Amino acid sequence: MSTGSTRKHTALPKAQILIEALPWLVRHNGKTVVIKFGGNAMIDEDLKAAFAQDVVFLHHAGLKPVVVHGGGPQISAALDRHGIVSEFKAGLRVTTEDAMDVVRMVLAGQVQRELVGLLNQHGPLAVGLTGEDAHTITATKHQPEIDGELVDIGRVGEITAIDTGAIQALLADGRIPVVSSIARSQDDGHVYNVNADTAAAALAAALDAETLMVLTDVEGLYEDWPHSDEVISRLTAVELERLLPDLSSGMVPKMEGCLHAVRNGVTTARVIDGRVQHSILLEIFTDEGIGTMVVPDEQEGDAV
């Protein structure tokens, strides 16, 4: 086989992949997509680099990505270094005054800086902010109920308001906002640690996003875990609501976030496996997709 025909042969599959992406490129062009960055994708160097490439690709493909992140593993490591014990109640980190200082430092000064740096290797794109900036996220003290009693878990916030002004201005300027899940207080002058899944869902709804994508360390929502590893590829809000009481504690805020998003104007919410390199591109630009997609009830039976 000549060099020319070899080149044609190897190039053809690449062209087919690009053509497969075409209807999705058309559909998503100009649309906002909120991506919650978490799990192994945050700590594995190759996955972090692939994530940054995916987000920059979305940007150059005409979408408007907004990244929201927490930093559980990094926070736990920093608290250990400061001699502060990590404690969880109702699936949420108990955040004392001392712990809040560390949380703020890690999220805004470490995790966000690294992510902004990775994105900006591809151009002057990413701008970091926290929920404190320009009143982006406002919260009040959250007290979960355990065994019928309200429990004090410190500086953990429940989101009460979202102001998208700063994010919209950045998007209009062709930037990629990277938001740390810290909120300003509505009523007491403090700052709050807010669940990043919840923050991403609230921002997606307030931004009227096309899609919310939540990166996890599982393939998606399982049909009958632990008895089966069959992933539910698509379900409606009502179907998800029925499943919520039986989900593992780690999946609850993610799936509650997806439910909130699609019930508040977001077209689709997806939980995808962040352990797979370029999982974001696979989900948005291929026919197969991966992970679990949640759609609003009125779209049942529609092609999404």
Side-chain angles (χ1 to χ4, degrees):
M1 192 182 286
S2 70
T3 304
S5 60
T6 303
R7 194 180 302 126
K8 285 177 194 165
H9 178 71
T10 55
L12 190 58
K14 295 175 185 174
Q16 287 168 337
I17 289 165
L18 291 170
I19 291 301
E20 184 182 327
L22 180 58
W24 308 107
L25 283 164
V26 172
R27 171 174 290 186
H28 296 301
N29 190 54
K31 301 290 177 58
T32 300
V33 53
V34 175
I35 306 164
K36 191 273 177 159
F37 180 57
N40 269 324
M42 296 189 78
I43 49 180
D44 179 286
E45 296 302 322
D46 291 338
L47 289 173
K48 273 192 284 198
F51 174 82
Q53 288 173 331
D54 284 7
V55 172
V56 172
F57 186 97
L58 295 185
H59 169 80
H60 286 299
L63 286 80
K64 296 177 178 177
V66 176
V67 179
V68 179
H69 72 88
Q74 294 90 337
I75 290 168
S76 294
L79 289 172
D80 283 348
R81 288 196 299 273
H82 284 80
I84 300 171
V85 177
S86 289
E87 185 185 359
F88 291 84
K89 290 181 182 177
L92 297 167
R93 185 186 298 276
V94 176
T95 309
T96 61
E97 296 287 348
D98 288 344
M100 188 65 229
D101 289 340
V102 174
V103 167
R104 198 180 191 184
M105 177 180 69
V106 170
L107 292 182
Q110 178 189 334
V111 180
Q112 182 198 89
R113 291 296 93 207
E114 183 180 17
L115 188 48
V116 166
L118 284 168
L119 290 164
N120 285 343
Q121 286 177 9
H122 304 280
L125 297 169
V127 178
L129 63 156
T130 79
E132 301 166 74
D133 294 313
H135 293 189
T136 298
I137 305 175
T138 300
T140 190
K141 188 180 180 72
H142 174 60
Q143 289 188 290
E145 193 174 300
I146 303 176
D147 298 329
E149 290 188 20
L150 294 178
V151 179
D152 187 347
I153 53 173
R155 293 256 153 252
V156 176
E158 185 167 326
I159 296 171
T160 56
I162 298 285
D163 185 326
T164 61
I167 292 175
Q168 296 279 25
L170 288 168
L171 291 174
D173 192 38
R175 311 295 176 181
I176 301 172
V178 178
V179 186
S180 304
S181 59
I182 305 165
R184 67 181 282 270
S185 169
Q186 175 180 291
D187 42 30
D188 62 12
H190 290 279
V191 294
Y192 283 106
N193 180 17
V194 295
N195 181 281
D197 298 310
T198 309
L203 278 168
L207 287 162
D208 198 23
E210 169 81 2
T211 298
L212 167 67
M213 305 187 83
V214 181
L215 269 65
T216 69
D217 283 342
V218 293
E219 292 173 66
L221 194 60
Y222 294 111
E223 189 88 52
D224 186 24
W225 186 261
H227 309 296
S228 163
D229 60 359
E230 190 74 27
V231 171
I232 302 169
S233 60
R234 184 180 182 279
L235 74 169
T236 64
V238 163
E239 289 167 343
L240 173 57
E241 204 165 32
R242 287 194 207 109
L243 294 176
L244 276 176
D246 299 320
L247 298 182
S248 64
S249 60
M251 284 301 280
V252 168
K254 292 172 174 48
M255 300 317 300
E256 282 182 340
C258 288
L259 188 62
H260 173 81
V262 299
R263 287 240 163 109
N264 288 274
V266 179
T267 309
T268 64
R270 305 145 188 257
V271 173
I272 61 173
D273 192 345
R275 301 167 301 178
V276 177
Q277 283 199 19
H278 305 299
S279 54
I280 292 169
L281 298 189
L282 289 170
E283 180 64 23
I284 287 196
F285 293 126
T286 67
D287 295 338
E288 286 81 16
I290 57 172
T292 297
M293 181 165 69
V294 184
V295 297
D297 296 315
E298 62 269 22
Q299 289 192 5
E300 191 165 6
D302 292 350
V304 176

